[in-house]
Amino acid sequence: MCINLIYTKLRRTQTATVIENEDGSHTILVNLNKPFDAQRVSVLHELGHIKHDDFHSKEHINLIERIAHDRELDEDIDEEFFYHVVNSKDV
């Protein structure tokens, strides 16, 4: 599994969001203006969406988010994945 972490400016209300790419990889956009702890929690939340394959759920997005927020944050991801970080300040 390949996950791209990109630290960039997002809306003030967003800390992170995840996108499923055409090649099956995922990109997590992380708001570089948020505190590190908030970024960490949000990245774990987005990893939960990937792990539980929420992209292919037929449920309404509000229900998916409610379920995702009720899940315990899984700091030990059981799957191996590779990632790289691109900081938009450096690009």
Side-chain angles (χ1 to χ4, degrees):
M1 168 184 321
C2 179
I3 298 172
N4 304 294
L5 288 177
I6 299 177
Y7 288 80
T8 189
K9 291 181 182 177
L10 297 174
R11 285 183 262 148
R12 288 187 303 153
T13 57
Q14 287 182 302
T15 305
T17 188
V18 64
I19 301 164
E20 183 178 36
N21 303 315
E22 289 181 15
D23 64 359
S25 66
H26 294 84
T27 298
I28 299 176
L29 301 172
V30 184
N31 192 335
L32 58 80
N33 295 318
K34 295 288 184 170
F36 175 77
D37 287 344
Q39 291 174 345
R40 184 179 156 282
V41 167
S42 290
V43 167
L44 288 172
H45 173 85
E46 301 306 336
L47 287 171
H49 282 303
I50 296 168
K51 181 178 178 180
H52 295 279
D53 199 27
D54 289 340
F55 301 96
H56 301 106
S57 175
K58 301 215 184 291
E59 300 298 337
H60 190 276
I61 186 65
N62 292 341
L63 178 58
I64 293 170
E65 279 302 313
R66 190 174 321 132
I67 292 168
H69 282 284
D70 288 345
R71 292 180 194 137
E72 289 187 31
L73 293 177
D74 189 359
E75 295 187 30
D76 297 321
I77 303 299
D78 355 340
E79 301 170 31
E80 270 190 58
F81 66 89
F82 299 95
Y83 67 94
H84 64 272
V85 176
V86 177
N87 188 326
S88 65
K89 285 184 176 178
D90 299 333
V91 177

